[in-house]
Amino acid sequence: MAEVMSKFNIKYGRLYEIRNRYQLASVHAWGTTAFRKKDVEKAIAKYDEEQGKAQQEAYYTCFDIMQKYGLGKTQVRRFAETHGVRIKKAKGGRANLYLKADWEAARKNAEKTSASTKAKRT
């Protein structure tokens, strides 16, 4: 279990949730718990897709935008709604994914017309 957590950079609670959600079969021997490698990789890939983490190449998550521009959650959502940024719901339905191309184009237009647009963080 420790190897899985370090390899995929997840904590015990997340591994426990994935293990229960996808019924990962485990083997208990000599005080350790082991899983089949391909089963774990498949389950984590499914989980990441449901959470929207597999969409990173074309979409920003709210957290990505918050880190990059120093905005709050409400500011991100309102900016996207005001400027027509296309939003996609992650498969789990809890997270919004913002199309990178739309977001960057809207930011450029907003910087031209507004004096209060925050600069990108480095």
Side-chain angles (χ1 to χ4, degrees):
M1 286 178 59
E3 185 180 341
V4 171
M5 292 186 306
S6 66
K7 180 179 179 182
F8 294 102
N9 195 24
I10 57 175
K11 295 186 179 184
Y12 180 79
R14 185 65 34 103
L15 177 60
Y16 185 78
E17 179 184 353
I18 292 169
R19 181 180 170 186
N20 287 335
R21 183 180 289 186
Y22 302 106
Q23 287 97 28
L24 286 178
S26 61
V27 176
H28 302 283
W30 299 288
T32 62
T33 303
F35 304 97
R36 289 182 56 199
K37 185 177 178 179
K38 65 180 178 180
D39 290 345
V40 171
E41 289 172 350
K42 184 178 174 183
I44 289 180
K46 257 189 198 177
Y47 181 80
D48 285 346
E49 183 181 332
E50 285 178 7
Q51 298 300 312
K53 294 176 185 170
Q55 305 289 332
Q56 295 299 324
E57 58 276 348
Y59 291 91
Y60 285 131
T61 63
C62 184
F63 182 75
D64 293 338
I65 295 170
M66 289 169 58
Q67 290 294 104
K68 193 175 237 183
Y69 295 102
L71 301 172
K73 288 180 186 178
T74 304
Q75 291 171 314
V76 171
R77 182 180 48 79
R78 285 187 181 159
F79 182 87
E81 288 174 359
T82 302
H83 295 282
V85 175
R86 286 179 276 184
I87 300 172
K88 175 181 173 182
K89 286 281 187 188
K91 281 195 177 179
R94 287 188 270 168
N96 286 336
L97 301 173
Y98 301 92
L99 189 64
K100 283 184 179 182
D102 285 359
W103 182 268
E104 295 301 333
R107 289 289 300 177
K108 284 181 184 176
N109 289 339
E111 287 172 358
K112 290 177 189 173
T113 60
S114 176
S116 64
T117 306
K118 290 186 174 183
K120 188 186 262 187
R121 292 181 172 177
T122 55

